[in-house]
Amino acid sequence: DQQVKQNSPSLSVQEGRISILNCDYTNSMFDYFLWYKKYPAEGPTFLISISSIKDKNEDGRFTVFLNKSAKHLSLHIVPSQPGDSAVYFCAASVGEYGNKLVFGAGTILRVKS
Amino acid sequence: SQTIHQWPATLVQPVGSPLSLECTVEGTSNPNLYWYRQAAGRGLQLLFYSVGIGQISSEVPQNLSASRPQDRQFILSSKKLLLSDSGFYLCAWGDFYEQYFGPGTRLTVT
């Protein structure tokens, strides 16, 4: 049972344009959402997060939007840069004991120059 | 600042051999600690987590085990490796909601 889904395995975007990565979840108890970026053979790097009490959080070129009614969140990268090419993971937490994260399968982003 | 170390970076082991992967965290006290595995082309699967010394919770029944002998040390072990244990193993520490990952260990079981 995949509680966090990233339905697009890959995305290709031209440098300077917007990249939009999507994530859907099924568990309405999730109250915190995170995005991680991962390069090959490295550990994931925390990018940005959002609490369920917000619908938007912005940090530089990265913005995360949360639509609770649709159980959907998205990561916008503007403008996209070649160095953004990586795998992006969406994760969700229910804030329970141990604070476990549930990860999506990831989306490979390729930014073409 | 906090730093997380994992070793070794890569490991090739024959089927049936034992395994010990070590993770240490610097710059924080009493962190939540986690072991994840990423199989080829797949997402991150939580294997174990620990909220304190000697406290280990298992998420996936398998031939792996974890131990936390010290506050900032987390060890992943196996007595006999299977081919299906191959993957990229990641240790992470948690601060409230966010988790921060180590560099990972690439394990190939042959």
Side-chain angles (χ1 to χ4, degrees):
Chain A
D1 176 29
Q2 276 190 291
Q3 297 187 69
V4 178
K5 300 178 183 180
Q6 294 177 256
N7 292 319
S8 297
S10 64
L11 174 68
S12 187
V13 172
Q14 197 67 35
E15 180 180 6
R17 305 296 291 268
I18 184 171
S19 295
I20 300 176
L21 298 111
N22 293 303
C23 179
D24 297 294
Y25 61 95
T26 57
N27 188 344
S28 58
M29 297 299 292
F30 286 143
D31 61 0
Y32 202 79
F33 303 88
L34 307 90
W35 284 95
Y36 286 85
K37 173 182 177 181
K38 185 183 181 301
Y39 294 118
E42 293 184 11
T45 303
F46 169 71
L47 265 181
I48 191 169
S49 60
I50 187 167
S51 165
S52 61
I53 62 173
K54 295 185 176 181
D55 55 18
K56 177 183 174 181
N57 189 26
E58 193 171 353
D59 184 2
R61 297 187 297 116
F62 302 91
T63 303
V64 56
F65 295 92
L66 176 63
N67 182 334
K68 283 195 297 182
S69 61
K71 293 191 178 67
H72 176 84
L73 67 156
S74 60
L75 175 68
H76 292 210
I77 306 174
V78 183
S80 301
Q81 300 173 353
D84 295 329
S85 298
V87 179
Y88 288 79
F89 290 99
C90 167
S93 168
V94 73
E96 63 184 11
Y97 180 78
N99 191 37
K100 297 175 288 185
L101 294 182
V102 179
F103 282 83
T107 297
I108 300 171
L109 173 65
R110 296 186 184 91
V111 180
K112 300 175 290 186
S113 55
Chain B
S1 64
Q2 298 84 6
T3 308
I4 181 166
H5 304 278
Q6 269 188 260
W7 62 92
T10 60
L11 190 60
V12 180
Q13 292 282 97
V15 168
S17 64
L19 172 73
S20 181
L21 301 181
E22 189 163 344
C23 169
T24 59
V25 180
E26 296 176 358
T28 184
S29 296
N30 197 31
N32 289 345
L33 295 174
Y34 307 85
W35 278 111
Y36 289 87
R37 177 172 60 201
Q38 183 185 19
R42 303 183 68 176
L44 301 175
Q45 179 186 36
L46 178 63
L47 302 175
F48 300 93
Y49 69 96
S50 171
V51 299
I53 296 174
Q55 301 179 61
I56 309 294
S57 296
S58 173
E59 287 295 296
V60 182
Q62 56 201 324
N63 68 320
L64 298 172
S65 63
S67 61
R68 184 171 178 173
Q70 300 181 46
D71 181 41
R72 289 169 286 179
Q73 183 185 29
F74 206 23
I75 297 172
L76 183 69
S77 305
S78 173
K79 292 181 180 178
K80 289 186 178 181
L81 284 168
L82 307 173
L83 284 174
S84 57
D85 291 324
S86 293
F88 192 53
Y89 287 81
L90 290 154
C91 179
W93 72 273
D95 181 5
F96 296 105
Y97 282 104
E98 284 94 23
Q99 291 180 18
Y100 302 92
F101 288 82
T105 295
R106 171 69 60 192
L107 172 66
T108 304
V109 182
T110 60

Coordinates of all heavy atoms in Angstrom, one line a residue, chain A residues 41-44, chain B residues 4-10 21 35 88-91 101-107:
Chain A
A41 N 24.6 7.9 -5.8 CA 25.6 7.4 -4.9 C 25.8 8.4 -3.7 O 26.9 8.4 -3.1 CB 26.9 7.1 -5.6
E42 N 24.8 9.2 -3.5 CA 24.9 10.1 -2.3 C 23.6 10.0 -1.5 O 22.6 9.5 -2.0 CB 25.1 11.6 -2.7 CG 26.4 11.9 -3.4 CD 26.5 13.3 -3.7 OE1 25.7 14.2 -3.3 OE2 27.5 13.7 -4.5
G43 N 23.7 10.5 -0.2 CA 22.5 10.5 0.6 C 21.6 11.6 0.2 O 22.0 12.6 -0.4
P44 N 20.2 11.5 0.4 CA 19.3 12.6 0.1 C 19.6 13.8 0.9 O 20.1 13.7 2.0 CB 18.0 12.0 0.4 CG 18.2 10.5 0.5 CD 19.6 10.3 0.9
Chain B
I4 N 26.9 13.6 10.0 CA 26.6 12.1 10.1 C 27.6 11.4 9.2 O 27.8 11.8 8.1 CB 25.1 11.9 9.7 CG1 24.8 10.4 9.8 CG2 24.8 12.4 8.3 CD1 23.3 10.1 9.8
H5 N 28.1 10.3 9.8 CA 29.2 9.5 9.1 C 28.6 8.1 8.9 O 28.0 7.6 9.8 CB 30.5 9.5 9.9 CG 31.0 10.8 10.2 ND1 31.8 11.5 9.3 CD2 30.9 11.6 11.3 CE1 32.2 12.7 9.9 NE2 31.7 12.7 11.1
Q6 N 29.0 7.5 7.7 CA 28.6 6.2 7.5 C 29.9 5.5 6.8 O 30.5 6.1 6.0 CB 27.5 6.1 6.4 CG 26.1 6.0 7.0 CD 25.1 5.7 5.9 OE1 24.5 6.6 5.4 NE2 25.0 4.5 5.5
W7 N 30.1 4.2 7.2 CA 31.1 3.5 6.5 C 30.8 2.0 6.6 O 30.1 1.6 7.4 CB 32.5 3.8 7.1 CG 32.7 3.4 8.6 CD1 33.2 2.2 9.1 CD2 32.4 4.2 9.7 NE1 33.2 2.3 10.4 CE2 32.7 3.5 10.9 CE3 31.9 5.6 9.8 CZ2 32.6 4.0 12.1 CZ3 31.8 6.1 11.1 CH2 32.1 5.3 12.2
P8 N 31.4 1.3 5.6 CA 32.1 1.8 4.5 C 31.3 2.4 3.4 O 30.1 2.3 3.5 CB 32.8 0.5 3.9 CG 31.8 -0.6 4.2 CD 31.2 -0.2 5.5
A9 N 31.9 3.0 2.4 CA 31.1 3.7 1.3 C 30.6 2.6 0.4 O 29.5 2.7 -0.2 CB 32.0 4.7 0.6
T10 N 31.4 1.6 0.1 CA 31.0 0.5 -0.8 C 31.5 -0.8 -0.1 O 32.4 -0.9 0.6 CB 31.6 0.6 -2.2 OG1 33.0 0.6 -2.1 CG2 31.2 1.9 -2.9
L21 N 27.3 -2.5 9.3 CA 27.4 -1.2 8.8 C 27.3 -0.2 10.0 O 26.4 -0.4 10.8 CB 26.3 -0.8 7.8 CG 26.3 -1.7 6.5 CD1 25.2 -1.2 5.6 CD2 27.6 -1.7 5.8
W35 N 17.6 3.7 9.8 CA 18.3 3.0 8.7 C 17.2 2.8 7.6 O 16.1 2.3 7.8 CB 18.8 1.6 9.1 CG 20.1 1.6 9.8 CD1 20.4 1.3 11.1 CD2 21.4 1.8 9.2 NE1 21.7 1.4 11.4 CE2 22.3 1.7 10.2 CE3 21.8 2.2 7.9 CZ2 23.7 1.9 10.0 CZ3 23.1 2.4 7.7 CH2 24.1 2.3 8.7
F88 N 21.4 0.2 -1.6 CA 22.0 1.4 -1.1 C 21.5 1.7 0.3 O 20.3 1.9 0.4 CB 21.8 2.6 -2.0 CG 22.7 3.8 -1.8 CD1 24.0 3.7 -1.7 CD2 22.1 5.0 -1.7 CE1 24.8 4.8 -1.5 CE2 22.9 6.2 -1.4 CZ 24.3 6.0 -1.4
Y89 N 22.3 1.6 1.4 CA 21.9 1.7 2.7 C 22.2 3.1 3.3 O 23.3 3.6 3.2 CB 22.5 0.6 3.6 CG 21.9 -0.7 3.3 CD1 22.4 -1.5 2.3 CD2 20.9 -1.3 4.1 CE1 21.8 -2.7 2.0 CE2 20.4 -2.5 3.9 CZ 20.8 -3.2 2.8 OH 20.3 -4.5 2.5
L90 N 21.2 3.7 3.8 CA 21.3 5.1 4.3 C 21.0 5.2 5.8 O 19.9 4.6 6.2 CB 20.4 6.0 3.5 CG 20.8 6.2 2.0 CD1 19.5 6.6 1.2 CD2 21.8 7.3 1.9
C91 N 21.8 5.9 6.5 CA 21.5 6.2 7.9 C 21.1 7.6 7.9 O 21.5 8.5 7.1 CB 22.8 6.0 8.7 SG 22.6 6.4 10.5
F101 N 20.4 12.8 6.2 CA 21.0 11.6 5.7 C 22.5 11.6 5.7 O 23.1 12.6 5.4 CB 20.4 11.2 4.4 CG 19.0 10.7 4.4 CD1 17.9 11.6 4.4 CD2 18.7 9.4 4.5 CE1 16.6 11.2 4.5 CE2 17.3 9.0 4.6 CZ 16.3 9.9 4.6
G102 N 23.1 10.4 5.9 CA 24.5 10.2 5.7 C 24.8 10.0 4.2 O 23.8 9.9 3.4
P103 N 26.0 9.7 3.9 CA 26.4 9.5 2.5 C 26.0 8.2 1.9 O 26.0 8.0 0.7 CB 27.9 9.7 2.5 CG 28.3 9.3 3.9 CD 27.2 9.7 4.7
G104 N 25.7 7.2 2.7 CA 25.2 5.9 2.2 C 26.3 4.9 2.0 O 27.5 5.2 1.9
T105 N 25.9 3.6 2.0 CA 26.8 2.5 1.7 C 26.2 1.7 0.6 O 25.0 1.2 0.7 CB 27.0 1.6 3.0 OG1 27.6 2.3 4.0 CG2 27.8 0.4 2.6
R106 N 26.9 1.5 -0.5 CA 26.5 0.6 -1.6 C 26.9 -0.8 -1.3 O 28.1 -1.1 -1.2 CB 27.1 1.1 -2.9 CG 26.9 0.2 -4.1 CD 25.5 0.1 -4.5 NE 25.0 1.4 -4.9 CZ 23.8 1.8 -5.2 NH1 22.8 0.9 -5.0 NH2 23.4 3.0 -5.5
L107 N 25.9 -1.7 -1.0 CA 26.2 -3.1 -0.7 C 25.8 -3.9 -1.9 O 24.7 -3.9 -2.4 CB 25.4 -3.5 0.5 CG 25.4 -5.0 0.8 CD1 26.8 -5.4 1.2 CD2 24.4 -5.4 1.9

